[in-house]
Amino acid sequence: MFLKSLNIANDSGIVRSINFHSGMNLIIDETPSDKNLVTGNNVGKTTVLMLIDFCLGSSAKAIYTDPENKKNENAVVKQFLIGTKVVITLTLTHDLHNPLSEDLVIERNFLSRSQLIRRINGAQRTEQEFEQVLTEYLFPGHYGKKPTLPQIISHNIRYKEQGITNTLRTLNQYTRDDEYESLYLFLLGCDFDRGDMKQRLLTQIRTESAFKARLEGAQTRSAYEASLSLILMEIEKLDKEKAALKINPNFETDLSRLDEVKFEINQKTSQLSRLKMRKSLTEEAVLEISSGSATVDVQQLKQLYRDVSERVSGVQKTFEDLLLFHNAMVEEKARFISKDIPRLNAAITQCESEIAALLREEVDLAQVVAKSASFAELEAVIVENNEKFRQRGEFETIIAQISDVEDVLKSLNSSLADIDDELFSDDFETRIQAQLNKFNRHFSTVSQELYGEQYALKVDRVTARNGQRVYRFSSFNTNFSSGKKQGEISCFDIAYTLFADEVGIPCFHFLLNDKKELMHDNQLANIARLVSRKSEQVQFVASILKDKLPAELNQEKYFVVKLSQDDKLFKIE
């Protein structure tokens, strides 16, 4: 898919219409340097890229919010977008040179509720449907799986700091290594059949680890065990003190039973608390997974899917099949995690019943013991002993709970290890390396043409901080200047598009780049010549200050929009 056009319109008509072409497309800031005190900021170069990203599913707030401080909003821009009912229309096409080529038309606005526009080829979509249709259009059958569409196309759209400064780690700073592993295995065409099971296990491991962290919030298991040992010693000491007192046989029996009942009550109460905590965490996990179930108006989408099926050969599954498969997958995940809920409910009911019986027995025994003439004499020992028994019950319950969750984690990690044994087998690594070799032929060729150097992508088996094995992808690069990094990024993105076409992996053929003035003139000119030759495969869109352009590129044929301090993108400032 290539960019065909981007239109900005409001209730007064067309504000800006941008038509893209094959090869190099430049978004130019014409403001002279001696007058441009903000070095090209605020004219809308980056906003063009953001609007394309917005049409592909990103947040509307990014258009009028400071990326470094989400609380700072550009009130003028926000009012313009909302107050004048701005609609952004992005048109993608399979072939820029064929007027009969199938187009994909996406429309979005910045209003809410009944006035919200979120259309694909004229059909209004919910937020979930929107991402689903876009995903299925490019990757049939992939919606609901990892990596997500925004992750897959993150290297195509580079205007955020992560994408501008990093070649591979283009997602947000909190993205885990296993997510990057999933992303680059997918991009290389090395899909792993048990990937969904691995993600499910990782979700369970995180849930159980969170439960264990709560249990050990005050102390670790070893600390609880050490404290329990001291408490047992104290109880033994108090029992000896109590035995030395002159107590009639019946009183001793009743008092001993009262101690046991109090201990059992404390133990059962602590156990009940942990059972309820575990049930709550399980229900939260089920709710989080169940929220991903698709609720699509099948009749509304049926015609669209039929149209797509007629135009795309090889589609054998109906939309209803795909929808049922997705919802069944989500339901299976929910059932898998929620299978402990009935057992937990039964255990909670049983525990509450036992506590009630023990409380009644405690009342009866307390009344009997209180009538003894020896009670006053033993009161101090009894109070202290009761507290020790309470602590003993609490600590033993916590230790048992920690032991149980450790057993569960051991089992989950064992299952994960079985999957990883396949994922990290020599056969699978050989498969990855074969794909890397194909990619690196393009990567090295492109970088050799642009820089006279050869870049390559490599993969290493590493162990992450949480102990999990992952594949970590990285590029060979010993140059750290901003210009060189910009070049490496462009080499990678161009090479990936050529590689994807070679091996038959669907991809967007447009590459969006911000701040290309960081590159050397020769590098940018080389890119223009390269994408000109590869215009059937690569469409390169870059924002740049006009006075930073090399002479070779300072030509109208490359410009798709020219902006300045006197002619900003939205024409409102």
Side-chain angles (χ1 to χ4, degrees), residues 212-312:
K212 184 173 182 288
R214 290 192 188 184
L215 291 173
E216 295 186 309
Q219 295 288 350
T220 63
R221 174 177 175 170
S222 60
Y224 279 118
E225 289 174 338
S227 297
L228 178 61
S229 176
L230 294 176
I231 288 171
L232 292 174
M233 292 172 60
E234 290 292 327
I235 290 174
E236 182 180 359
K237 177 183 176 182
L238 290 169
D239 284 343
K240 289 180 179 179
E241 291 180 11
K242 184 174 61 176
L245 297 173
K246 303 298 183 180
I247 303 172
N248 65 67
N250 290 336
F251 178 81
E252 178 64 23
T253 300
D254 292 336
L255 186 59
S256 177
R257 178 55 188 159
L258 181 59
D259 288 340
E260 293 175 3
V261 169
K262 288 181 180 295
F263 167 70
E264 291 176 16
I265 289 173
N266 288 323
Q267 189 178 46
K268 292 293 182 183
T269 300
S270 295
Q271 181 182 357
L272 178 62
S273 174
R274 301 308 184 282
L275 287 170
K276 288 182 176 180
M277 183 190 303
R278 176 178 282 276
K279 178 186 174 185
S280 175
L281 284 170
T282 303
E283 289 174 339
E284 289 175 8
V286 171
L287 181 60
E288 178 182 351
I289 292 176
S290 297
S291 67
S293 179
T295 55
V296 179
D297 184 345
V298 176
Q299 293 303 319
Q300 182 183 5
L301 299 180
K302 194 171 186 180
Q303 184 58 44
L304 173 62
Y305 190 79
R306 184 180 295 123
D307 292 343
V308 174
S309 299
E310 291 174 355
R311 290 174 172 81
V312 180

Side-chain angles (χ1 to χ4, degrees), residues 136-159:
E136 294 295 326
Y137 193 88
L138 193 62
F139 305 103
H142 185 72
Y143 180 72
K145 301 178 181 179
K146 296 289 187 178
T148 64
L149 179 63
Q151 291 175 331
I152 294 170
I153 66 175
S154 62
H155 79 97
N156 292 87
I157 306 171
R158 295 181 182 269
Y159 64 85

Side-chain angles (χ1 to χ4, degrees), residues 3-9 14-20 27 47-55 87-92 106 560-561 569-570:
L3 296 176
K4 185 174 183 179
S5 64
L6 180 73
N7 290 325
I8 305 169
I14 298 294
V15 176
R16 183 83 64 174
S17 183
I18 304 173
N19 294 312
F20 298 94
I27 301 165
T47 305
V48 175
L49 310 183
M50 296 172 71
L51 289 175
I52 296 172
D53 194 19
F54 169 60
C55 287
V87 177
I88 310 298
T89 303
L90 175 68
T91 302
L92 306 179
I106 303 168
V560 291
V561 61
L569 180 67
F570 294 135

Side-chain angles (χ1 to χ4, degrees), residues 345-365:
N345 284 334
I348 288 171
T349 300
Q350 177 66 25
C351 194
E352 289 174 341
S353 176
E354 292 174 355
I355 289 173
L358 288 169
L359 288 172
R360 289 192 296 271
E361 184 177 359
E362 180 188 30
V363 171
D364 294 337
L365 288 170

Side-chain angles (χ1 to χ4, degrees), residues 25 45 56 106 116 122 125 131 134 154 164 167 184 191 222 230 238 251 259 279 303 312 389 404 436 487-488 524:
N25 293 251
K45 300 193 311 298
L56 294 174
I106 303 168
L116 180 142
R125 307 291 181 180
E131 182 175 343
L134 287 181
S154 62
I164 292 174
T167 302
Y184 283 100
D191 289 351
S222 60
L230 294 176
L238 290 169
F251 178 81
D259 288 340
K279 178 186 174 185
Q303 184 58 44
V312 180
F389 271 96
D404 288 344
L436 278 177
E488 178 186 307
L524 197 56

Side-chain angles (χ1 to χ4, degrees), residues 34 86 89 116 132 219 243 320 338 362 379 387 399 415 506:
D34 57 346
V86 169
T89 303
L116 180 142
Q132 180 176 3
Q219 295 288 350
E320 292 90 337
S338 63
E362 180 188 30
E379 183 174 6
E387 175 61 19
I399 291 169
S415 299

